[in-house]
DNA sequence: TGTCAACAAGACAAAAATATCCAGATATCA
DNA sequence: TGATATCTGGATATTTTTGTCTTGTTGACA
């Protein structure tokens, strides 16, 4: 019982983009920052672009940017884009006698899914950024980031090719 | 976001056994009644036997039986036996700066897991059986079963209780 | 225009989950 | 004892998920 890896990656990536507003992030940057296989990122972003949550710009200075307000994107939006929460809408055993009603077992399971769905629907990406409870922002932070010292390309350290 | 197929199967099987107390069920019976591939059942039962939730009897008249009271087995017990609910206990990105604390994203995800875990832990198998809300018992029922007419596979309507 | 930086997308590969098969170990019963 | 029923557990096959690679397209800019 857990989120798929792909959904995890998608959430990290979206949060990452949310942390870099107005600054297109390349797959390499995202991969490094989110610890996502760089060659897998295109797969992760495909459905996110499809629903218009992110957009990509090619060429020098390009990369991905969020297309919607961070407070208008819920965890559920992200998860559903890449791997919809599976609600149980009819008997998984296809028992005729069950019609569209669920037995107690499947009703219980679906209730749990419903709860998760609702919970995820209420949590907005923006909320996560602000909710930095004292410590780290989110995905990454070298310990320096907390002091406002950016350690990215464009900041001080790192390699400039 | 969903239960693994194996966990689904395990839950069905346990419920099935709960519906047939004191009557060892063969893999064939369980497979038919629960719509689980018969040849996969041994894999499903392996971890359930290991934790002592079920036991198997070989030979004629043998099969699987529940070893614990139906009101002492929660959905969580079953799920955890075959595929533990994955709680997030430390930063999945292994960020040193996060120590054992979770960022807002992962904390949110883990909270959802915790909720599911708790919910599952509260629902007992026995509860599901009694909770037949008017209609069907659980996994199976041809519509006849509700009238007390057993319609077991194998062609001939079998033994009356 | 040419060159380089970047994404797009499909083909391929590896790993994990799911499913099948079968020889062997037990158990029951005649 | 023999015949039959049943689980056990390992080897294997299939499918899905995850990950990689490569070729092509787009965009910026000198």
């Amino acid at each position: 019982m857990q989120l798929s890896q792909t959904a995890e990656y998608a959430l990290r990536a979206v949060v990452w983009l949310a942390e870099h507003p107005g600054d297109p992030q390349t797959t390499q940057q995202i991969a490094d920052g989110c610890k996502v296989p760089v060659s897998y990122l295109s797969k992760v972003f495909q459905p996110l672009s499809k629903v218009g949550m992110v957009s990509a710009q090619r060429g020098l200075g390009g990369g991905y940017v969020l297309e919607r307000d961070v407070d208008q994107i819920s965890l559920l939006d992200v998860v559903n884009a890449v791997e919809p929460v599976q609600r149980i809408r009819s008997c998984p055993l296809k028992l005729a006698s069950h019609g569209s009603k669920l037995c107690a077992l499947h009703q219980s399971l679906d209730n749990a899914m419903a709860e998760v769905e609702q919970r995820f629907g209420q949590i907005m990406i923006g909320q996560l950024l602000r909710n930095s409870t004292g410590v780290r922002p989110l995905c990454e932070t070298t310990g320096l980031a907390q002091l406002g010292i950016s350690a990215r390309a464009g900041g001080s350290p790192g390699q400039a090719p």
Side-chain angles (χ1 to χ4, degrees), chain A residues 69-84:
Chain A
D69 188 277
V70 294
D71 287 306
Q72 298 297 318
I73 303 175
S74 67
L75 296 190
L76 184 62
D77 292 330
V78 179
V79 170
N80 270 344
V82 303
E83 149 207 70

Side-chain angles (χ1 to χ4, degrees), chain A residues 56-129:
Chain A
Q57 175 70 23
R58 296 200 243 203
L60 223 182
Y64 289 96
V65 289
L66 271 192
E67 282 297 310
R68 281 159 50 192
D69 188 277
V70 294
D71 287 306
Q72 298 297 318
I73 303 175
S74 67
L75 296 190
L76 184 62
D77 292 330
V78 179
V79 170
N80 270 344
V82 303
E83 149 207 70
V85 172
Q86 294 282 159
R87 293 293 300 275
I88 303 173
R89 307 208 181 279
S90 66
C91 176
L93 289 84
K94 307 216 182 61
L95 298 176
S97 67
H98 287 211
S100 65
K101 303 192 75 172
L102 298 179
C103 71
L105 172 60
H106 290 116
Q107 188 59 63
S108 297
L109 298 180
D110 187 54
N111 287 347
M113 282 305 107
E115 215 168 322
V116 169
E117 203 174 46
Q118 188 192 337
R119 178 66 75 102
F120 279 10
Q122 286 169 342
I123 301 173
M124 298 298 160
I125 300 296
Q127 215 173 313
L128 299 179
L129 303 191

